[in-house]
Amino acid sequence: NAGVMQNPRHLVRRRGQEARLRCSPMKGHSHVYWYRQLPEEGLKFMVYLQKENIIDESGMPKERFSAEFPKEGPSILRIQQVVRGDSAAYFCASSLLLAGVGTDTQYFGPGTRLTVL
Amino acid sequence: DQQVKQNSPSLSVQEGRISILNCDYTNSMFDYFLWYKKYPAEGPTFLISISSIKDKNEDGRFTVFLNKSAKHLSLHIVPSQPGDSAVYFCAASEGTNAGKSTFGDGTTLTVKP
């Protein structure tokens, strides 16, 4: 059973370009979460999605960032017009059920390291 | 305002001894706490969790203690092994949605042979 997959593992973009990060959850998982980790910091929650629905995007910057989890295919985190401050590791996690007390835990992917030149 | 703090950026322990990693939180609404382990170039891996109705949870060599009045939790690893060397993150969440966790900045544990 393959784990959570993210691609690309490394992505280099110039300022102003678009970055697309993909996340394929574990088989059968319908809950997807995106986190961002800046250097020397912990992971910061960005967005929680279920198939075709954004459930909670309270951690997502209001501009330039968007996420989707279509009925078919991977979840996509899109960053438009990237700036140097977007350079970070972006982690995706998935769970079978809503992750919480007494229920399923989250399984993290290996992350995508975005570098903005 | 950082709601989850891991005040020790690093910890070095001899193999076979106990490792104690600490975590403090400020949000009294947090009621579910998790520890993750992370190796370089990999995603975090869930280790152990505890809900606020308990003060201790044990899983093999790993034990998490929760002191709600002090808003403090700790992870004990005993005996420590070189393979335990990694970054350990403490995370906390409100209600049942552990997916929206607030993470600390991590503690790098080095276990020396």
Side-chain angles (χ1 to χ4, degrees), chain B residues 6 21 23 34-36 46-48 64 73-75 89-90:
Chain B
Q6 294 177 255
L21 296 96
C23 178
L34 310 96
W35 284 94
Y36 289 87
F46 170 77
L47 261 181
I48 191 168
V64 55
L73 64 155
S74 60
L75 175 68
F89 289 100
C90 165

Side-chain angles (χ1 to χ4, degrees), chain A residues 9 33 35 37 41-43 45 56 58 91 98-101 105-106 108-110 113, chain B residues 31-32 36 38 41-44 46 51 89 95-101 103-105:
Chain A
R9 294 292 307 274
Y33 315 81
Y35 287 84
Q37 184 186 24
E41 294 187 12
L43 283 73
F45 168 82
D56 185 337
S58 57
F91 291 96
L98 175 62
V101 178
T105 56
Q106 293 178 301
F108 281 84
R113 275 140 190 89
Chain B
D31 58 4
Y32 188 50
Y36 289 87
K38 185 181 179 304
E42 294 184 12
F46 170 77
S51 72
F89 289 100
T96 57
N97 189 0
K100 189 180 174 181
S101 295
F103 281 71
D105 288 346

Side-chain angles (χ1 to χ4, degrees), chain B residues 48-67:
Chain B
I48 191 168
S49 64
I50 188 167
S51 72
S52 58
I53 61 172
K54 291 185 166 185
D55 54 18
K56 176 183 174 182
N57 189 23
E58 195 171 349
D59 184 1
R61 295 186 297 115
F62 302 91
T63 303
V64 55
F65 295 92
L66 175 63
N67 182 335

Side-chain angles (χ1 to χ4, degrees), chain A residues 45-110:
Chain A
F45 168 82
M46 298 181 74
V47 62
Y48 159 45
L49 310 101
Q50 292 181 30
K51 285 283 188 182
E52 301 184 273
N53 288 301
I54 296 174
I55 307 302
D56 185 337
E57 57 181 348
S58 57
M60 198 100 104
K62 297 272 185 278
E63 297 177 351
R64 302 187 298 109
F65 285 72
S66 62
E68 62 178 11
F69 188 17
K71 188 177 180 182
E72 301 291 339
S75 175
I76 307 284
L77 179 67
R78 182 203 285 183
I79 311 172
Q80 295 178 299
Q81 300 173 328
V82 296
V83 301
R84 290 224 173 100
D86 296 332
S87 295
Y90 291 82
F91 291 96
C92 163
S94 74
S95 62
L96 181 63
L97 304 171
L98 175 62
V101 178
T103 63
D104 201 19
T105 56
Q106 293 178 301
Y107 298 86
F108 281 84

Side-chain angles (χ1 to χ4, degrees), chain B residues 10-51:
Chain B
S10 62
L11 174 68
S12 182
V13 168
Q14 207 66 36
E15 181 179 8
R17 307 293 289 267
I18 186 171
S19 296
I20 300 176
L21 296 96
N22 294 302
C23 178
D24 297 295
Y25 62 96
T26 56
N27 187 342
S28 56
M29 298 299 290
F30 287 147
D31 58 4
Y32 188 50
F33 305 89
L34 310 96
W35 284 94
Y36 289 87
K37 175 180 180 179
K38 185 181 179 304
Y39 293 117
E42 294 184 12
T45 302
F46 170 77
L47 261 181
I48 191 168
S49 64
I50 188 167
S51 72

